[in-house]
Amino acid sequence: MAKLDESLLTGLPPFSMLNRAQIREILDHAVSRRYDEGTTIFHEGAEAERFFLLLDGYLRVVRTTPGGDQIIVLHISPGQLFGIAPALQRDTYPATSIAAAESIALSWPVSLWPDFTAKYPGFATESYKTLGQRLGQIQETLTEMATQAVEKRVASAVLRMANQSGIKTENGIEIAFPVTRQNISDMTGTTLHTVSRLLSAWQKDGIVESTRKHIVVTDPHRLVILSGAQD
Amino acid sequence: MAKLDESLLTGLPPFSMLNRAQIREILDHAVSRRYDEGTTIFHEGAEAERFFLLLDGYLRVVRTTPGGDQIIVLHISPGQLFGIAPALQRDTYPATSIAAAESIALSWPVSLWPDFTAKYPGFATESYKTLGQRLGQIQETLTEMATQAVEKRVASAVLRMANQSGIKTENGIEIAFPVTRQNISDMTGTTLHTVSRLLSAWQKDGIVESTRKHIVVTDPHRLVILSGAQD
DNA sequence: ACCCGACGTTGCTCTGAAACAAACTCCTGA
DNA sequence: TCAGGAGTTTGTTTCAGAGCAACGTCGGGT
């Protein structure tokens, strides 16, 4: 395996306050791996052996019920840590991570976690900040799920993806990774049928444009209104 | 204010590996306060000035939508830390805490958090473990909310409360704090009407007994079946 | 002792969205 | 080049549960 370049980590929040030598040292313990779209990186409940940093691509973090239904808890974007069970003293992953697009991630054995946090205090700080944001996010999703009607939930979900990964195109904001109607229904606790209908309706109204696995938000403002967000 | 007794903290997970002198020191910085039922301890979004330990009573942790709907994210039982925003590098509380029953809590200024975690490593460890469990719990609630029908959700919610706070009586397991139908509907994203109907039906079937604000689960096993839990 | 407000029950109506069903379209790989 | 599967669309039916309404009841405060 080629030696990893230091510029990979420079500027990423978890490593922002480290110097070149420290980054070098961290990288020397890392394993880099590519995941095809749809690949599972680790399973809910599995022994947490490594923790990860997403370099490129997007992930879906998924939970499955005993009954087999699943929901997408959140998405991970490049530059974010994930699978950091050790930060919470867990020895097992609390959810499954799946590559939503072809992705590249670094990983380290959990045994290095204590060293990392001890040696590089900023690293721990940033990890916990990430966790805090994620906790807040999930609470918000939960609240929304419990109180909002389907159309609002779907609108928020699309907006969330657009905000997190959106790239500007001439037509609007495009979600950077493949999303199926089924995926959106798994984010919102509805059916793909309903999502399909909503997306068709929005397309007719000029709010979004979509092809298979691919969504462009052409009129974000109206989608925000649909999502019912308060100013 | 009377000097706090060391036995208050002895044996509680966050302090389990501390010696008498350390506990003394921690207590000397603590403020103890009583909260009447219904009192708000802190508000979502408020400046996180203190972190807390619940000594006695029960709390509801609540999130409110811009539209005014609210849902109960989780309950806190005696011995648990709460409002530990500093652990996640947050300077604001992510949810509101309300006394579900008359409660007593200790609290410390957030400025002491770094000292605490530095001086007493076990304290940090336990805090993060708590957070990890809570994150897992919320993810589970979210999944359930998105995939399960109302009856199952209500059954799980009642069971969760019974497990967390249940005290055995001659008739069954009694939830240790006051709960209204509205409260349960706020945990499950339904209406108090539906909860009332379900509880009445279950009572008729001999699964629960309930009076105002007061629920006894007389047949936990059948409730588990209703909740749809897998073995 | 009484009144008022909070809490609970129950009946009825109505609708949002799930469930069921059937095609259609695109893409992939043999 | 064609077959098959994955993803999408659209129509129709069905029903759980929200919404509305009205009443019953408990308990705490003056």
Side-chain angles (χ1 to χ4, degrees):
Chain A
M1 187 187 301
K3 211 168 183 205
L4 297 164
D5 193 276
E6 287 132 40
S7 64
L8 284 176
L9 300 190
T10 313
L12 297 182
F15 306 100
S16 55
M17 55 270 282
L18 303 183
N19 64 37
R20 210 157 191 71
Q22 294 176 314
I23 288 186
R24 182 72 264 155
E25 191 182 356
I26 287 177
L27 272 176
D28 284 343
H29 291 98
V31 170
S32 172
R33 176 143 149 40
R34 202 185 58 82
Y35 301 88
D36 284 330
E37 184 179 334
T39 311
T40 296
I41 295 157
F42 52 78
H43 274 101
E44 178 179 347
E47 193 77 15
E49 289 168 340
R50 309 185 70 81
F51 61 94
F52 300 79
L53 175 76
L54 185 64
L55 285 181
D56 191 44
Y58 288 91
L59 307 184
R60 289 194 292 270
V61 176
V62 163
R63 285 206 68 157
T64 307
T65 62
D69 305 299
Q70 64 167 45
I71 78 132
I72 298 175
V73 176
L74 51 78
H75 286 100
I76 309 279
S77 322
Q80 299 192 302
L81 290 166
F82 67 99
I84 43 181
L88 297 168
Q89 307 298 123
R90 300 189 55 121
D91 46 8
T92 167
Y93 298 113
T96 301
S97 287
I98 299 172
E102 181 177 346
S103 298
I104 298 171
L106 297 181
S107 71
W108 297 266
V110 290
S111 56
L112 291 182
W113 181 269
D115 290 7
F116 271 37
T117 51
K119 267 200 200 149
Y120 320 115
F123 174 76
T125 305
E126 283 297 330
S127 309
Y128 287 118
K129 196 181 261 179
T130 303
L131 248 7
Q133 287 162 352
R134 238 169 249 182
L135 185 65
Q137 228 178 88
I138 292 179
Q139 284 187 0
E140 193 171 319
T141 308
L142 175 61
T143 315
E144 188 180 279
M145 195 73 77
T147 61
Q148 306 295 96
V150 169
E151 183 170 30
K152 293 191 177 192
R153 302 209 301 268
V154 175
S156 310
V158 172
L159 279 172
R160 236 180 296 133
M161 290 188 287
N163 284 330
Q164 187 176 351
S165 83
I167 51 185
K168 289 211 166 50
T169 70
E170 68 259 44
N171 294 338
I173 302 166
E174 179 180 337
I175 293 171
F177 51 90
V179 213
T180 66
R181 317 289 186 235
Q182 177 71 60
N183 289 156
I184 297 179
S185 73
D186 286 345
M187 298 175 68
T188 52
T190 179
T191 61
L192 82 161
H193 305 251
T194 299
V195 173
S196 178
R197 282 179 235 268
L198 285 171
L199 250 33
S200 299
W202 293 344
Q203 180 138 356
K204 206 165 298 171
D205 289 356
I207 297 173
V208 303
E209 269 168 39
S210 72
T211 57
R212 309 198 132 201
K213 295 186 159 213
H214 201 80
I215 297 177
V216 181
V217 179
T218 50
D219 191 340
H221 183 243
R222 277 207 285 160
L223 201 54
V224 169
I225 292 170
L226 281 178
S227 80
Q230 247 60 359
D231 46 299
Chain B
M1 187 187 299
K3 210 168 184 208
L4 296 163
D5 193 275
E6 287 133 39
S7 65
L8 284 176
L9 301 189
T10 313
L12 297 182
F15 307 100
S16 56
M17 55 270 281
L18 304 182
N19 64 37
R20 210 158 192 71
Q22 294 177 313
I23 288 184
R24 182 72 264 155
E25 190 183 356
I26 287 177
L27 272 176
D28 284 343
H29 292 98
V31 170
S32 172
R33 176 144 148 41
R34 203 185 57 83
Y35 301 89
D36 284 331
E37 184 179 334
T39 311
T40 296
I41 296 157
F42 52 77
H43 273 102
E44 178 179 348
E47 193 77 15
E49 290 168 340
R50 311 184 69 81
F51 61 95
F52 301 79
L53 175 75
L54 185 63
L55 285 181
D56 191 43
Y58 289 91
L59 307 184
R60 289 194 293 269
V61 176
V62 163
R63 285 206 67 157
T64 306
T65 61
D69 304 300
Q70 64 166 45
I71 78 131
I72 297 175
V73 176
L74 51 78
H75 285 100
I76 308 279
S77 323
Q80 298 192 303
L81 290 166
F82 67 99
I84 42 180
L88 297 167
Q89 306 297 123
R90 300 190 55 123
D91 46 8
T92 164
Y93 297 113
T96 301
S97 288
I98 299 172
E102 180 176 347
S103 299
I104 299 171
L106 298 181
S107 71
W108 298 265
V110 291
S111 56
L112 291 182
W113 182 268
D115 290 6
F116 271 38
T117 52
K119 268 201 198 147
Y120 320 116
F123 174 76
T125 305
E126 283 297 331
S127 309
Y128 288 119
K129 196 181 261 178
T130 303
L131 248 7
Q133 288 163 352
R134 239 169 250 182
L135 185 64
Q137 229 180 86
I138 292 179
Q139 283 186 0
E140 194 170 318
T141 308
L142 174 61
T143 315
E144 190 180 278
M145 195 74 76
T147 62
Q148 305 297 96
V150 169
E151 183 171 29
K152 292 191 178 193
R153 302 209 301 268
V154 175
S156 309
V158 172
L159 279 172
R160 236 179 295 133
M161 290 187 286
N163 283 331
Q164 187 176 353
S165 82
I167 51 184
K168 288 210 165 52
T169 71
E170 68 261 42
N171 294 338
I173 302 166
E174 178 181 337
I175 293 171
F177 51 90
V179 212
T180 66
R181 315 291 188 240
Q182 177 72 59
N183 290 156
I184 297 178
S185 72
D186 287 345
M187 298 175 67
T188 51
T190 179
T191 60
L192 81 162
H193 306 253
T194 299
V195 173
S196 178
R197 283 181 235 267
L198 285 171
L199 249 33
S200 300
W202 294 344
Q203 180 136 358
K204 205 165 297 172
D205 289 357
I207 298 173
V208 302
E209 269 168 39
S210 72
T211 57
R212 304 199 136 203
K213 296 188 159 211
H214 201 80
I215 297 177
V216 181
V217 179
T218 49
D219 191 340
H221 183 244
R222 276 207 285 160
L223 201 53
V224 170
I225 292 169
L226 281 179
S227 80
Q230 247 58 1
D231 47 298

